[in-house]
Amino acid sequence: MNYEQVTETYEAYAQKIGDRKRMYETIANIFDVKRALYPGSHVDIAPSFVIPHVIYVDSFKGAIRFFKKLETVQELIDQRKEYDEPCAIEFFGQDYTQPLDIEPVDLVISQYAGFVAQAMKHHLKPGGILLCNDSHGDATLARFDKTFELIGVMGSTNELVQTGLDEYFHLPKGKDVDIAEVKKTMKGPKYTKQEENYAFRKRLERE
Ligand SMILES: C[S@@+](CC[C@H](N)C(=O)[O-])C[C@H]1O[C@@H](n2cnc3c(N)ncnc32)[C@H](O)[C@@H]1O
């Protein structure tokens, strides 16, 4: 792929999924994120516009083709990045459940790509942030996993709301969440109050 093809591929995809840059920017600014891991990224390189070092992982052949000329993707990011540091990107064209030889990260991004947080939590620094939605139930698994603490929710305004968090992840009529069912169906339940995205903090070992 040449520069024009890489740009066109990204632009077409960004138009389909909507502009996520502000969402990533909010998280990067609040939590001073310098290094992120994005498994199941497809070609969503928006995190690199606001985060200096991002590691992308995807096994889909279209994504592998896109990232094959890493310098060309990097060139596009260099044109659009909003930080002073040089941009660094890595890509692993593999199943994210398989071992990854990387240093711990400040942020794990999970967007519509299965149980990313469960597979990747060991790569997240203690105190690091998980940004995820509940499309496939990944936020639900994080909410009921002692590794994580819910610290914020984010809707279409891309502002992080850090109050009233006890109101989330409740089923109608006080029913219990069936984690086994979520794992089986790979679908987040319909809660009485929900948001597009959730931010969790990985607890420190002594907590
Ligand atoms: C629905 S797309 C979402 C892409 C992007 N995160 C977004 O929100 O636009 C899911 C992506 O996750 C990738 N994916 C799903 N499971 C994966 C796995 N186990 N290993 C690597 N990639 C995976 C797919 O190849 C696909 O590109």
Side-chain angles (χ1 to χ4, degrees), residues 31-54:
F31 300 106
D32 193 25
V33 174
K34 299 290 182 208
R35 228 179 116 74
L37 172 62
Y38 189 175
S41 57
H42 196 80
V43 301
D44 176 21
I45 53 167
S48 289
F49 301 153
V50 290
I51 300 170
H53 190 156
V54 183

Side-chain angles (χ1 to χ4, degrees), residues 13 20 38 40-42 58-60 94-96 111-113:
Y13 192 67
R20 302 238 187 95
Y38 189 175
S41 57
H42 196 80
D58 204 301
S59 55
F60 177 61
Q94 64 168 73
D95 188 320
Y96 66 67
Q111 296 287 302
Y112 308 97

